[in-house]
Amino acid sequence: MYARRRHVYFAMMGVCLTLFVLGCAVVRLWSVPVAVGMCVVAMVIPPLAAIVANRRGPDDRWWDAPSGDEESDEWWDELDGRKRRRQP
């Protein structure tokens, strides 16, 4: 899952850079409004790429990972209705 999110992130950032460079270097020679539109689209992509890269997938198990604090973990397990074996 992590590798796929990373690939999507880099692809989105590559599209962002391509749009920005093409808009500023090439397209502005023919149409300034189109070049500005390309730059605006390029401006929106990085926050979306960050959201995609940082979202959790269904296989990511972060909510039930132990924190290391026995008392806190025991308390959360009790709230979740899970029974944990105590370690000696």
Side-chain angles (χ1 to χ4, degrees):
M1 285 301 243
Y2 176 71
R4 184 177 358 174
R5 285 193 310 251
R6 191 176 61 205
H7 287 117
V8 170
Y9 172 79
F10 284 122
M12 289 176 77
M13 292 306 289
V15 168
C16 172
L17 285 173
T18 303
L19 282 172
F20 184 74
V21 169
L22 284 177
C24 291
V26 178
V27 177
R28 72 174 173 86
L29 300 173
W30 287 280
S31 175
V32 172
V34 172
V36 170
M38 288 173 69
C39 289
V40 168
V41 170
M43 178 184 69
V44 173
I45 292 175
L48 296 176
I51 291 169
V52 166
N54 289 316
R55 78 169 180 231
R56 299 282 183 191
D59 295 337
D60 294 337
R61 302 199 46 119
W62 57 273
W63 64 89
D64 59 354
S67 66
D69 179 18
E70 283 297 321
E71 186 177 342
S72 175
D73 291 340
E74 201 173 294
W75 185 75
W76 282 108
D77 287 343
E78 181 182 334
L79 283 178
D80 290 339
R82 291 191 308 190
K83 302 225 187 304
R84 250 175 69 172
R85 281 196 266 156
R86 286 189 171 235
Q87 307 238 344

